[in-house]
Amino acid sequence: MKKVLVAGANGQTGRQIVSILKDKEGYEPVAMVRKETQIPYFEEQNISTVIGDLEKELSGVVKGMDEVVFAAGSGGDTSDQKTVDIDENGAKSLIDASVDSNVEKFVMLSSMGTDQPDSIPSLKQYLKSKKAADEYLKSSGLTYSIIKPGMLTNDEGKSEIQAKERLNKSGKIPRNDVAKVIVQSLNSDILKNKEVEILEGQTEIGLALTNI
Ligand code: NAP
């Protein structure tokens, strides 16, 4: 049974990741949450939890985990400082703790557009921070997959996507399908040390990912 720590488990995508993972054979999700009050939601589904904050010490949180998913984000707080604190420094600190704990694989929920941070002025710092975290992961020595979706929606997932290292277009994708891509990426042979842009599409997820 592989224990998978999901940072940002209480988020809109994170909740779907742990829920899908709970039913996947061979895996046990551990939801990293910030507050005690967030625990019952997961306990009611028989999902283990651990209290952890990306702005605090993380070594005890990652210890004993086989794989780690970063699905957290500064979310509603779009100040540049919060973005740097969570999307960049929080991610880096989780990567450091994962290296120290010899984690087998780290899956990063990144974003499309990190190569052109100036293209959307309101997202400039966010895209720069996501890029910095991605580059840090790539040079960490950890086995990784970097998943870069377009705009996230709450539409029903269709399990069909388009995926390529560079899609050279913009678009959207349901959070549910992003969660499925992340769960599939936990397999050590899928997207090993690769980054991939994903949008809604017409190719079944498993097939789309093996063709990268
Ligand atoms: P979300 O609902 O905003 O959830 C973010 C999660 O991060 C929340 O559960 C939050 O915890 C957690 N978090 C924030 N600060 C934290 C800290 N210091 N320590 C630990 N956890 C912390 O996220 P989402 O909308 O599902 O998106 C997931 C990620 O996808 C985003 O963060 C973003 O980087 C990426 N993305 C988003 C888009 C988009 O269109 N929105 C597009 C591409 C990529 P609490 O529940 O305690 O607040």
Side-chain angles (χ1 to χ4, degrees), residues 80-137:
D80 283 359
Q81 189 53 53
K82 210 58 183 168
T83 298
V84 173
D85 290 346
I86 308 299
D87 299 303
E88 183 169 341
N89 293 335
K92 287 179 177 177
S93 133
L94 191 66
I95 292 165
D96 285 343
S98 300
V99 171
D100 290 345
S101 291
N102 295 315
V103 157
E104 289 169 26
K105 189 166 187 184
F106 191 112
V107 179
M108 174 72 84
L109 173 48
S110 181
S111 174
M112 265 185 157
T114 56
D115 290 329
Q116 290 119 3
D118 293 317
S119 59
I120 310 173
S122 63
L123 294 181
K124 185 173 175 178
Q125 184 56 55
Y126 167 75
L127 294 170
K128 281 173 75 173
S129 287
K130 292 299 275 181
K131 171 90 176 171
D134 292 352
E135 293 304 318
Y136 195 80
L137 175 58

Side-chain angles (χ1 to χ4, degrees), residues 156-163 172-174 176-178 180-181 184 198-209:
E156 196 181 330
K158 291 193 300 177
S159 299
E160 290 180 336
I161 60 168
Q162 28 183 337
K172 58 190 172 69
I173 180 164
N176 181 253
D177 284 335
V178 174
K180 288 177 194 153
V181 169
Q184 292 215 16
I198 54 170
L199 292 173
E200 62 188 2
Q202 269 143 23
T203 307
E204 189 273 323
I205 288 175
L207 189 60
L209 298 184

Side-chain angles (χ1 to χ4, degrees), residues 6-17 32-35 38 52-56 58 70-76 82 85-87 90 109-112 123 126-127 130 147-154 171 173 175 178 182:
V6 180
N10 194 50
Q12 297 173 85
T13 311
R15 282 185 172 201
Q16 302 201 46
I17 294 169
M32 183 180 121
V33 295
R34 286 196 281 182
K35 301 172 198 140
Q38 294 167 338
D53 190 322
L54 292 164
E55 295 182 84
K56 296 181 183 156
L58 289 169
F70 182 93
S74 45
K82 210 58 183 168
D85 290 346
I86 308 299
D87 299 303
L109 173 48
S110 181
S111 174
M112 265 185 157
L123 294 181
Y126 167 75
L127 294 170
K130 292 299 275 181
I147 313 302
K148 303 168 81 172
M151 194 181 86
L152 304 182
T153 72
N154 289 327
I173 180 164
R175 285 182 169 85
V178 174
I182 285 176

Side-chain angles (χ1 to χ4, degrees), residues 5 50-52 56-65 97 101:
L5 180 74
V50 62
I51 296 277
K56 296 181 183 156
E57 172 59 36
L58 289 169
S59 56
V61 178
V62 180
K63 204 161 183 257
M65 299 295 161
S101 291

Side-chain angles (χ1 to χ4, degrees), residues 36-56:
E36 301 273 349
T37 52
Q38 294 167 338
I39 293 176
Y41 171 84
F42 297 98
E43 279 187 343
E44 280 159 20
Q45 303 175 68
N46 290 320
I47 294 170
S48 313
T49 55
V50 62
I51 296 277
D53 190 322
L54 292 164
E55 295 182 84
K56 296 181 183 156

